[in-house]
Amino acid sequence: MNRSAHRISPGQLAFTQLFSATRRGARLARLLAVEQLRSWSAPHDLTERAELVVAELGANAVLHGHVPGRSFRLTLVFDASRGRLRVDVTDARGDKWPSASPTDAAPDALLRTQGRGLALVDALADRWETLSFPPSGKTVRAELVDPGGPSGRAPRHAPAASHPVAR
């Protein structure tokens, strides 16, 4: 397991870890993200939201981004001075880009047990987007801001995923 936590610039801390693309790997990503954020003394609200975002993005990497023999990567970048956290989850399936479920979905769609993960990410993150990760992967990036921090909540933007989802 390659684990790396380091300072990338004044006030910014980074953590990167590869995980097996399994349910156990997704669970471990969530647990280690919380442990790392606590070790950085990240605000409690930010840590709680990040835990759920990492859980959803990790689960999506396992369910929809899995390629046999390939791992997924979690990267956290915390800017303590600005109260900002960036969560990147990178998987090997660049041909399957996510999109959020419509918020005005029919009531029966809200009762489904699957397919609401990115709607949760959309609700918890201040912004999220999908980026290409050459040669064949993608990164789903979520940005979270501590509402009590110096920069307050970031303006919300629509997800940048422009490719259709093939699930």
Side-chain angles (χ1 to χ4, degrees), residues 60 63-64 93 95-101 114-118 128 138 164-167:
N60 282 353
L63 292 172
H64 307 295
R93 292 294 303 265
D95 60 328
K96 285 187 170 185
W97 282 49
S99 64
S101 300
Q114 291 184 326
R116 296 183 311 209
L118 286 174
W128 72 272
K138 70 177 171 304
V165 178
R167 293 192 187 193

Side-chain angles (χ1 to χ4, degrees), residues 146-161:
D146 176 26
S151 58
R153 296 285 289 206
R156 294 192 54 87
H157 299 287

Side-chain angles (χ1 to χ4, degrees), residues 137-152:
K138 70 177 171 304
T139 298
V140 179
R141 173 174 290 167
E143 296 178 6
L144 293 83
V145 178
D146 176 26
S151 58

Side-chain angles (χ1 to χ4, degrees), residues 4 15 23 33-34 39 43 50 61 75 79 91 96 107-108 116 121 125 137 147 153 159-161 167:
S4 170
F15 167 85
R23 290 180 5 183
V34 169
S39 78
T75 301
D79 186 340
D91 65 50
K96 285 187 170 185
D108 60 330
R116 296 183 311 209
V121 170
R153 296 285 289 206
R167 293 192 187 193

Side-chain angles (χ1 to χ4, degrees), residues 24-55:
R24 186 175 189 173
R27 180 177 181 270
L28 186 57
R30 176 182 58 84
L31 294 172
L32 286 179
V34 169
E35 176 188 315
Q36 189 63 56
L37 290 170
R38 287 181 180 157
S39 78
W40 288 337
S41 300
H44 182 71
D45 172 69
L46 198 64
T47 301
E48 282 187 332
R49 289 189 296 136
E51 179 178 13
L52 294 170
V53 168
V54 169

Side-chain angles (χ1 to χ4, degrees), residues 61-99:
V62 169
L63 292 172
H64 307 295
H66 176 74
V67 171
R70 301 282 302 271
S71 302
F72 75 91
R73 177 186 357 225
L74 169 67
T75 301
L76 305 174
V77 178
F78 179 53
D79 186 340
S81 65
R82 295 175 60 200
R84 290 183 176 266
L85 174 68
R86 190 181 86 210
V87 176
D88 289 354
V89 174
T90 302
D91 65 50
R93 292 294 303 265
D95 60 328
K96 285 187 170 185
W97 282 49
S99 64

